[in-house]
Amino acid sequence: MKTVVSISLGPESLDFDFKTKFLGKQFRVIRIGTNKDLAKAKALLKGWENKADAIGLGMVREHQRVGSYQFAQAATTDLLETVTRIPITTGSNLREILHDWAIRHTQIEVPNFFNNSTILFLSGMANYRAARVLSEYTENLTFADPVLQLGIPKFLTSLHALELYAAGTHQFTKWTAPHVLTPSIAPIKDWNKYIVRKALQKADVIAARYDEL
C-alpha cells in the first residue's frame, strides 16, 4: 500500500485519514494541518519522509510566474528542500492545468459565459496563467495587486499593466521588507477597503485563492 501525506499550513480541524483504490492500487491518504506553524510543518516533513511514498504541501505560498519574471517564496522553498528522499510537491503545475481546463470547460458547457465578463483578480500575480486564458474571452480584467500588496489605491486593468507591475515589484521587494509595503495610515486603509468592496460588487467573476476569499 502506498502512503501519501499532505502537510498543510491550514487548520488541523480539516484533517483526514482514509484508504482508497486508484488505478488498481491501494493508497492511504493522510492530511495533517499545522495551523500556520512553519516549524511544526518542517518537523512533520522530516518525520514522514521515512514513512510516506509522497508528500504534498498545502496552503503554502506558491512560486509565481508573470511574463518573464519569476518570484520564489522563501518559506515554501525551505519546506520543499526539507524532503530529499521521496517526491514532494505543492501541486502548482497540476493546479494551473486544471484551472485552464475548468475555464475552457465552463466556456463550452455554459456557452460564452466569460465573453465580455468583468473579472476581478485579488492577485493577478498568483493567477497569471488563468488570466491569460480568460483574456481570450474578455478584455475586462482588473487586478487588485497594488491595492492589496502595496496599499496603493490603484487597480491594474490589463495583462500588460500586470507584467509591468510585476517587473517593478520584482526590483522593489529586493530591498524593501514585505511588512513595510502596506501603509498603516487609517484613511488610506479604509479607502482601499472601500474601493475593493466596490470592485467586488461590480465583478461578474472573482478569481482568488481560498484563503483570500
Side-chain angles (χ1 to χ4, degrees), residues 97-140:
I97 292 171
L98 292 176
H99 283 171
D100 288 6
W101 178 86
I103 293 168
R104 298 188 189 282
H105 179 72
T106 301
Q107 182 72 0
I108 294 172
E109 290 297 310
V110 186
N112 303 320
F113 181 83
F114 294 113
N115 285 11
N116 298 315
S117 292
T118 299
I119 303 177
L120 173 66
F121 290 83
L122 296 190
S123 175
M125 291 177 63
N127 294 282
Y128 177 72
R129 181 165 172 172
R132 284 183 61 88
V133 176
L134 286 165
S135 69
E136 298 175 15
Y137 309 116
T138 179
E139 295 181 354
N140 303 319

Side-chain angles (χ1 to χ4, degrees), residues 160-207:
H160 180 61
L162 178 65
E163 291 165 358
L164 290 176
Y165 170 81
T169 303
H170 180 65
Q171 298 300 323
F172 188 58
T173 54
K174 283 183 177 180
W175 53 269
T176 307
H179 69 275
V180 177
L181 299 180
T182 303
S184 58
I185 303 174
I188 298 178
K189 292 180 67 176
D190 291 342
W191 176 252
N192 285 346
K193 288 180 181 179
Y194 171 77
I195 63 175
V196 170
R197 284 199 302 269
K198 298 299 290 184
L200 289 168
Q201 292 170 2
K202 294 178 181 179
D204 300 309
V205 178
I206 300 168

Side-chain angles (χ1 to χ4, degrees), residues 14-140:
L14 300 177
D15 286 357
F16 53 74
D17 184 344
F18 66 89
K19 296 178 182 178
T20 188
K21 181 179 286 188
F22 180 67
L23 297 180
K25 296 183 178 180
Q26 291 291 333
F27 285 84
R28 182 187 179 194
V29 183
I30 306 167
R31 190 266 190 194
I32 305 174
T34 62
N35 299 313
K36 299 182 180 181
D37 188 332
L38 287 170
K40 182 178 179 180
K42 200 166 186 176
L44 285 167
L45 289 172
K46 291 178 179 178
W48 278 100
E49 183 175 14
N50 295 318
K51 297 184 290 183
D53 296 285
I55 295 177
L57 283 178
M59 296 295 289
V60 295
R61 296 288 180 179
E62 295 177 353
H63 305 318
Q64 299 171 349
R65 293 185 296 275
V66 180
S68 59
Y69 292 90
Q70 295 192 19
F71 305 84
Q73 302 291 340
T76 302
T77 298
D78 185 41
L79 291 173
L80 288 170
E81 292 179 348
T82 300
V83 176
T84 58
R85 193 184 68 82
I86 61 175
I88 180 171
T89 181
T90 64
S92 59
N93 291 335
L94 177 60
R95 185 158 35 252
E96 286 186 344
I97 292 171
L98 292 176
H99 283 171
D100 288 6
W101 178 86
I103 293 168
R104 298 188 189 282
H105 179 72
T106 301
Q107 182 72 0
I108 294 172
E109 290 297 310
V110 186
N112 303 320
F113 181 83
F114 294 113
N115 285 11
N116 298 315
S117 292
T118 299
I119 303 177
L120 173 66
F121 290 83
L122 296 190
S123 175
M125 291 177 63
N127 294 282
Y128 177 72
R129 181 165 172 172
R132 284 183 61 88
V133 176
L134 286 165
S135 69
E136 298 175 15
Y137 309 116
T138 179
E139 295 181 354
N140 303 319

